[in-house]
Amino acid sequence: MAMGRYIIKRVLISLPLLVTISFFSFILNQLSPLDPAEVILHAQGVPNITSELIAETKARLGMDQPLLTRYVQWFVSCLQLDFGNSYVTGKPVWSLLGPAFLNTLKLTLVSVIAIIALSITLGTICALREGKWVDKSVRGIFFLLTSMPSYWLAALIVWYFSVKLDLLPTSGMDTYQSYILPVTVITISFAGIYFRIIRSSMLSNLNEDYVLYGRACGLPESKITLHLLRNSLQVAISVFGMAIPVILGSTVVVENLFVWPGLGTLSVKSILSRDFPIIQAYVLVLAAAFVIFNTFSDIVNAALNPKLRKDH
Amino acid sequence: MNSLEVSNLKIWDSRTGKVLVPHSSFHVKQRSCLAIVGESGSGKSLTCRAIMRLNKALLHQSGEILLQGVNLTKLSEKEMRKKRGKQLCMIVQNGMRAFDPSCVVGVHLKETLAWHYGWGRDDITVKMKRAMESVMLKDPLAIMNSYPHQLSGGMLQRVMIALAIVLEPDVVIADEPTTALDTITQFEVIEQFIQLRTRMNCAMIFVSHDLAVVKRIADEMLVMKDGAIVERGATRDIFSAAQHEYTRFLVSTGLTLDHHFNKIMGGVSHAEC
Ligand SMILES: Nc1ncnc2c1ncn2[C@@H]1O[C@H](COP(=O)(O)OP(=O)(O)O)[C@@H](O)[C@H]1O
Ligand SMILES: [Mg+2]
């Protein structure tokens, strides 16, 4: 009951945030020094761009109307997944962005699952063996791995597994095996941060009285560890929730290296050709993903932590 | 016959080599209550946890600890775990933090009792309910289904006492069980500790820095200062004629507290008449 009310409250809070974000991503493109009409005409290869032609294009696209009117129109159509047409190809933006978003989301979710599994396992082992050699060597190895630039790590991995051993595909997303290399690179570059968060959260929980009392009552370490994990995960879950949009937005390097047909590849292409509607939609979709996943992780957190559900 | 006998207990920090408790020896007679007093940082908690073998891994200890004649320091970790809770029960200072904050209180009770005795859910509920009623907890079922933050420190303290009643240990170690409570709740909880002793015939180590409480509950007492035991003897004797200068200081400063405490206790017992 309390949980249901919490979910409704949390979702209602996020709505004004989404509207604000959409407004900023709309404004952002208006601030660009380039005139969109001019960009369109360039992109369409019109040889002789006159000021009449520009004015005509503006009127046709409704760009001569007041800013707020244009924003409202744009926002309403965005809600219907209509982000306008690409300046370059003339195709609807969603027909390009939708599939790319889905591909990136798949890559991200698989990576996040790998990251969560790896960091919980390593974080728990390191916290329970604090200061022992296992703890020290795992932290050392991850310190090295996280400080490597991901393009370099990716190049190294591709060279070894694909070129030298000829085991795995180097590009595209044709089979399940295509996931292995990009997921490995993403996992290695992010797991270092998250396993450290789990470890330190476990360590601070280890000092809590409930651990001492549990042990003093003779409970086995396996039971104590479960209680520890449950409480440590509360910190980690909000961080993991945020990891999903962070990785969504940071797959550019990995996607371009492995030729993954996702958002990263699409966004670089659109930025190079100044395809504003796609860039605008890309920013909006990412920002919305941030808000949605953040809301979601807050809700999961509340389900785990009864204190958060309390009405203030 | 002694329930618990500690000899030459030494505790030191393995990283720095710093000795925190140099060499403690003391015993607790069957059915009696030994109080450990001393200002904060004097090594009372270290001593209690050393008996349970629950100090941090980086703190090392040596010496002998005999529980009903069994040397605890020689036991394997697995055998030691069987003693904890079942024979050697600890009650910690802050009830509000003693239970996993994300689970209802009943989860800990069920896990502990199922682990030691293999009892089923209903069995545990019946036994806990009886014990909780005996420590004046109203509506035990609701308490078992509450999260720690929904209950008060005094209630949680009494839940721990109730669990101890069901576990029937030989020795109860209470490490400042009333420090986190207000004076009136303190009085109620102390009453439960006194009844726990008479009802269960168990020995008890009662750590406190409140001399008024000690005077009421303990037969014998130890005074600790900087890790060392500076005075020991029957509570009555120490209060009338303390040998060590530090104890005299504690007794003289403790008297004002004592006065305040008696006033409240007097008030409550009048109300009961
Ligand atoms: N884990 C630890 N590592 C190092 N020193 C500790 C540790 N725990 C306690 N100490 C030190 O041991 C001394 C006694 O602590 P403690 O037994 O908790 O005192 P108290 O009498 O207040 O219960 C303190 O000076 C404290 O700094
Ligand atoms: Mg203490």
Side-chain angles (χ1 to χ4, degrees), chain B residues 94-134:
Chain B
N94 192 339
M96 301 292 275
R97 321 188 76 196
F99 295 89
D100 180 345
S102 347
C103 296
V104 293
V105 169
V107 169
H108 175 87
L109 306 175
K110 280 174 194 143
E111 276 184 351
T112 304
L113 292 170
W115 176 255
H116 283 299
Y117 294 103
W119 294 337
R121 257 182 110 81
D122 301 335
D123 231 5
I124 290 173
T125 310
V126 170
K127 290 194 162 90
M128 273 314 298
K129 187 165 170 278
R130 202 179 307 139
M132 283 163 87
E133 275 161 358
S134 76

Side-chain angles (χ1 to χ4, degrees), chain A residues 206-210 212-221 223 227 230-231 234 304-307 309-310, chain B residues 49 52 54 56 81 84-85 88 90 92 97-103 108 111-112 115-116 147 149 160 163:
Chain A
L206 264 172
N207 283 322
E208 291 288 333
D209 280 355
Y210 74 82
L212 177 68
Y213 187 55
R215 285 180 178 156
C217 286
L219 290 180
E221 281 306 301
K223 282 236 157 61
H227 285 285
R230 186 180 170 133
N231 286 287
Q234 283 162 25
L304 280 178
N305 186 350
K307 254 188 249 181
R309 291 201 291 267
K310 219 165 49 163
Chain B
R49 281 186 236 132
M52 307 284 301
L54 281 178
K56 290 263 135 64
R81 201 153 46 224
R84 290 189 198 122
L88 197 55
M90 186 148 150
V92 298
R97 321 188 76 196
F99 295 89
D100 180 345
S102 347
C103 296
H108 175 87
E111 276 184 351
T112 304
W115 176 255
H116 283 299
Y147 291 98
H149 69 93
M160 285 193 266
L163 179 58

Side-chain angles (χ1 to χ4, degrees), chain B residues 231 242-251:
Chain B
E231 178 136 11
Q243 301 299 308
H244 197 276
E245 184 193 341
Y246 178 66
T247 317
R248 280 201 293 274
F249 165 74
L250 279 183
V251 170

Side-chain angles (χ1 to χ4, degrees), chain B residues 45 93 175-176:
Chain B
S45 298
Q93 176 173 348
D175 188 359
E176 306 206 35

Side-chain angles (χ1 to χ4, degrees), chain B residues 13 15 20 39-46 49 56 59:
Chain B
D13 190 328
R15 285 162 301 183
L20 299 165
E39 64 194 0
S40 106
S42 56
K44 306 183 295 292
S45 298
L46 286 181
R49 281 186 236 132
K56 290 263 135 64
L59 295 181

